[in-house]
Amino acid sequence: IAETADRHHAGKPTHPWFGSARLDPAAVVADLREHVLDTVLRPKADTRWVGFKEVRYEPGHFVEYEDLLNYLLFLDKLFPGIRYLMNVRDPQDAARSGWWPGNANAEEVLAVTRDRLAEAVADLTRMLGPGRAVLVDYDDWTGRPDVLSDAFARLGLPRDDEAVRRAVGTRLEHGPRDDPLRGAPLV
């Protein structure tokens, strides 16, 4: 947005980017924040914390690592002070989950994704400071929900061991998905 607003000579009516010089990047981001809160997250008036789960971090969605990191940094602009809890899993085990059957590239895609998420946590910590990004491993917390509770605490989030135990005890139904980018070949 800032780059678009900064087009050279965009204030001239004969320039193809005419009008873009009047963009206010901070106002656009504030409008986006309000839109996401009002239409996607929809917190109640007494809500203290909101969050969301995203799973589309593999190379089919972010071809280059820099694209992933820039997206995560954009989320920090959209939601100042955001905390990142990155959950990774052994690529061989994840490839056997209901999401990946029949995908010949699954292990490779999942290994790259795992490495990138670990790198992103290190980069976010370096760029945003400690207590903003934590990496957890599925194998560590599946039998020990306190690992998640500890991760929340390291992020400065409220600790509720019982809620975490209940959430971890709720099995999600996964099956093959019709997602054209899932497991796209690495470029």
Side-chain angles (χ1 to χ4, degrees):
I1 297 165
E3 188 178 301
T4 300
D6 193 33
R7 298 284 179 186
H8 188 63
H9 302 299
K12 296 181 179 181
T14 56
H15 191 273
W17 289 91
F18 177 68
S20 65
R22 293 192 332 247
L23 278 173
D24 179 350
V28 172
V29 171
D31 286 347
L32 285 172
R33 180 181 309 113
E34 185 177 337
H35 181 75
V36 171
L37 287 169
D38 290 348
T39 63
V40 178
L41 299 175
R42 301 178 189 190
K44 295 178 182 171
D46 62 345
T47 300
R48 292 181 40 180
W49 294 89
V50 295
F52 57 92
K53 174 185 173 186
E54 177 56 73
V55 296
R56 294 178 186 98
Y57 290 128
E58 66 264 6
H61 295 280
F62 296 98
V63 176
E64 301 294 330
Y65 169 73
E66 290 74 22
D67 299 330
L68 170 63
L69 182 60
N70 285 331
Y71 171 71
L72 296 171
L73 291 170
F74 169 74
L75 289 178
D76 182 58
K77 295 238 183 295
L78 188 61
F79 298 110
I82 190 173
R83 307 315 200 287
Y84 304 86
L85 178 69
M86 302 296 193
N87 179 42
V88 296
R89 188 174 182 192
D90 177 84
Q92 289 180 325
D93 291 340
R96 289 191 296 270
S97 74
W99 186 266
W100 294 94
N103 185 310
N105 297 323
E107 283 186 39
E108 180 185 8
V109 169
L110 290 162
V112 169
T113 302
R114 180 186 175 104
D115 292 346
R116 287 182 177 181
L117 290 175
E119 186 177 359
V121 167
D123 284 341
L124 291 168
T125 298
R126 181 179 49 77
M127 298 167 90
L128 304 176
R132 296 289 301 281
V134 171
L135 186 73
V136 295
D137 189 299
Y138 175 85
D139 291 326
D140 292 339
W141 62 259
T142 51
R144 294 190 44 224
D146 61 300
V147 170
L148 286 178
S149 294
D150 292 344
F152 293 149
R154 288 195 316 271
L155 291 170
L157 299 172
R159 185 178 185 119
D160 186 339
D161 293 337
E162 182 53 37
V164 170
R165 274 193 287 282
R166 276 194 314 272
V168 169
T170 303
R171 184 116 173 111
L172 301 176
E173 294 182 26
H174 290 96
R177 302 291 188 254
D178 186 20
D179 182 347
L181 294 178
R182 178 185 54 81
L186 300 176
V187 186

